[in-house]
């Protein structure tokens, strides 16, 4: 999957299924945006600080989190526009995942 990183569409960032699972595992996008719903540079900085804190406090190897950082969060092209699109992609992915789980549950009960 690709997210558009700038308005003109000349830059993009590849996001894998594993990246999305890592975001979910660490709840990286949960409660990141203030009640105003605006994604700005402060939100991007907050995400970077949160990830850095997780990495610094972890005693275990976080290969998936490091990959997410290198490939997506700390990507040279990641700006506010890219983060907005990452939020959208993550929400779509979670919605599809929930729908699949609902379908699997419905199939099992039949």
């Amino acid at each position: 999957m690709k997210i558009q990183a700038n308005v003109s569409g000349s830059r993009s960032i590849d996001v894998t299924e594993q990246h999305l699972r890592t975001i979910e595992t660490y709840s990286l996008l949960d409660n990141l945006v203030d009640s105003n719903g605006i994604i700005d540079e402060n939100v991007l900085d907050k995400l970077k600080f949160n990830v850095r804190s997780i990495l610094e406090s972890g005693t275990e190897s976080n290969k998936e989190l490091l990959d997410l950082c290198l490939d997506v969060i700390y990507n040279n092209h990641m700006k506010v526009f890219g983060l907005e699109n990452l939020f959208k992609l993550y929400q779509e992915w979670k919605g599809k995942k929930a729908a699949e789980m609902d379908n699997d549950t419905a199939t099992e009960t039949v």
Side-chain angles (χ1 to χ4, degrees):
M1 298 166 266
K2 285 186 184 267
I3 57 170
Q4 187 174 331
N6 63 0
V7 177
S8 68
S10 61
R11 304 209 187 275
S12 63
I13 299 171
D14 290 323
V15 180
T16 66
E17 182 88 17
Q18 182 59 50
H19 291 141
L20 296 172
R21 283 193 297 267
T22 303
I23 291 170
E24 180 180 46
T25 299
Y26 291 96
S27 303
L28 295 177
L29 300 183
D30 296 351
N31 302 316
L32 193 62
V33 180
D34 294 333
S35 61
N36 62 16
I38 297 173
I39 298 173
D40 57 13
E41 287 293 329
N42 291 329
V43 175
L44 182 57
D45 290 341
K46 187 176 172 183
L47 174 61
K48 289 178 179 181
F49 292 140
N50 289 346
V51 169
R52 188 176 308 145
S53 176
I54 292 168
L55 289 171
E56 288 175 353
S57 67
T59 55
E60 61 193 58
S61 174
N62 295 318
K63 182 185 178 328
E64 291 84 13
L65 187 56
L66 286 171
D67 289 344
L68 175 67
C69 288
L70 293 172
D71 298 341
V72 180
I73 295 173
Y74 284 93
N75 185 301
N76 288 335
H77 302 307
M78 179 56 81
K79 306 289 186 234
V80 172
F81 191 81
L83 184 57
E84 289 175 355
N85 287 328
L86 181 61
F87 265 94
K88 290 176 188 174
L89 176 64
Y90 181 69
Q91 292 303 321
E92 289 172 14
W93 177 77
K94 279 192 75 152
K96 287 178 186 175
K97 186 176 164 188
E100 287 173 6
M101 290 179 76
D102 288 343
N103 287 340
D104 289 345
T105 303
T107 305
E108 289 174 4
T109 58
V110 172

